[in-house]
Amino acid sequence: MRDTDFFRRWMTATAAAVEREADRLTELDSPIGDADHGSNLMRGFTAVRAALEAEPPQTPGAVLQLAGRTLISTVGGASGPLYGTLLRRTGKELGEAAEVSDEAVRQALYAGVGAVAQLGGAAPGDKTMLDALVPGGGGARHLVPGRRGRGGERRAGDGADAGPQGPCQLPGRTEHRPPGPGGDLVGPAAGRAGGGGRMTAAAAVVGIVLVSHSAAVAESVAALAAGLAAGGAVAPIAAAGGTADGGLGTNADRVVAAAREVDRGAGVVLLVDLGSSVLTVKALLVEGELPEGARLVDAPFLEGAVSAVVAASTGAPPLDAVAAAATEAYDYRKS
């Protein structure tokens, strides 16, 4: 049986290993990535260690959920939502038991890997983290994500990749089955809507959240969209950009706070720029952290934001109409 202390030691040992190997992981990330894998992981697991010391969880499941939540909130890159989802879902599956058997851990990890597959839309063999998570050749020893680099598909013999190397810092051996296939409010939702009718403070209005790696970019696009929708009341729009320390990346807590800020009962449209912004929002949706009716919309960040805000500010249209307006911005031609 495994108790709470075992899982705390596991996370602490992982944090120490990541710190020790951070420079090497960053070096491996340089040829095909952003050269930040090691530093991102070190920031995240350092925060995990601090969180476990600040509010010691009382059950194995709570240890993993706290660790996962912390990673999603502090790792600016894609590793945050991937590792975070794996640990959070595993922790949820373990429940509130004070001790858990090895079999319970295996089953919980199976659920965690399934959540990662759902989040990334990948399957074994796609050269993603799942190829390190799913057992092969006698068992999956390491819980580590791989990644596709900007240069295209990885091939055998292409050399070491930082993603698969990172999970090697998670001590222990696990065998399981493979899985099956906040921001600032820019405009109030009150007063007269421009062009399409009236929108009152009590109206159920679609809110818009802009999630970017950069706080300045998210805030500027939000201000632009609100300005172009002027002529009446502007639908609630919030910017959720950058990390908690002001750096480039995505912060889950900011996204959740922004979504709650703009939620007026008609749903929330989330527009993202790229990479970890997409995965962070997907992870929050998978885990049910966002308001009911929240939706990640595939649309160009700037043009989609303008279209969504203009549509949402006109006569309190339904969520589907606002989402469609944002998506249709892909059809804008500039030549």
Side-chain angles (χ1 to χ4, degrees):
M1 300 292 286
R2 309 292 184 179
D3 60 9
T4 303
D5 188 55
F6 171 85
F7 285 89
R8 280 199 296 260
R9 293 198 309 271
W10 183 33
M11 291 295 99
T12 300
T14 299
V18 167
E19 182 176 1
R20 183 175 62 250
E21 298 293 333
D23 290 343
R24 186 173 68 90
L25 293 172
T26 294
E27 182 180 354
L28 289 172
D29 190 40
S30 300
I32 62 171
D34 301 323
D36 61 358
H37 188 61
S39 57
N40 281 344
L41 284 181
M42 185 169 70
R43 178 172 60 247
F45 278 100
T46 297
V48 167
R49 184 160 49 191
L52 291 174
E53 293 174 354
E55 51 172 313
Q58 301 304 306
T59 65
V63 170
L64 296 185
Q65 288 190 63
L66 176 59
R69 185 168 67 249
T70 303
L71 290 176
I72 292 175
S73 298
T74 58
V75 177
S79 298
L82 291 170
Y83 274 96
T85 295
L86 173 68
L87 295 177
R88 289 188 69 187
R89 179 59 62 86
T90 301
K92 287 183 178 181
E93 290 295 319
L94 292 179
E96 299 180 0
E99 293 185 334
V100 293
S101 67
D102 288 347
E103 178 60 25
V105 174
R106 282 192 289 269
Q107 293 299 321
L109 282 168
Y110 168 60
V113 174
V116 171
Q118 179 183 359
L119 173 61
D126 286 346
K127 296 184 176 64
T128 70
M129 68 181 290
L130 289 180
D131 293 333
L133 290 171
V134 174
R141 181 175 182 179
H142 307 304
L143 303 178
V144 188
R147 60 184 292 178
R148 283 188 177 92
R150 295 196 200 97
E153 296 287 342
R154 292 296 305 268
R155 300 181 306 277
D158 277 351
D161 184 3
Q165 292 294 319
C168 298
Q169 314 318 317
L170 287 170
R173 181 180 184 84
T174 305
E175 297 182 5
H176 53 83
R177 294 166 294 166
D184 299 320
L185 188 65
V186 174
R192 183 175 183 80
R198 297 188 63 82
M199 188 167 68
T200 66
V205 181
V206 175
I208 294 94
V209 174
L210 304 181
V211 185
S212 171
H213 281 59
S214 165
V217 168
E219 291 162 5
S220 297
V221 173
L224 175 63
L228 293 178
V234 177
I237 175 173
T243 60
D245 60 2
L248 296 177
T250 311
N251 182 276
D253 291 339
R254 289 189 173 191
V255 176
V256 172
R260 292 174 179 172
E261 183 76 27
V262 303
D263 183 18
R264 299 290 187 275
V268 176
V269 164
L270 294 108
L271 298 173
V272 299
D273 53 9
L274 70 162
S276 65
S277 297
V278 180
L279 287 176
T280 296
V281 172
K282 283 185 175 182
L284 293 172
L285 289 169
V286 167
E287 297 301 324
E289 298 290 329
L290 297 175
E292 183 177 358
R295 182 185 302 181
L296 173 61
V297 175
D298 184 2
F301 191 62
L302 192 156
E303 295 90 339
V306 172
S307 296
V309 173
V310 170
S313 301
T314 306
L319 178 64
D320 286 345
V322 176
T327 300
E328 288 169 3
Y330 272 131
D331 295 332
Y332 292 165
R333 293 292 178 263
K334 302 175 183 178
S335 64

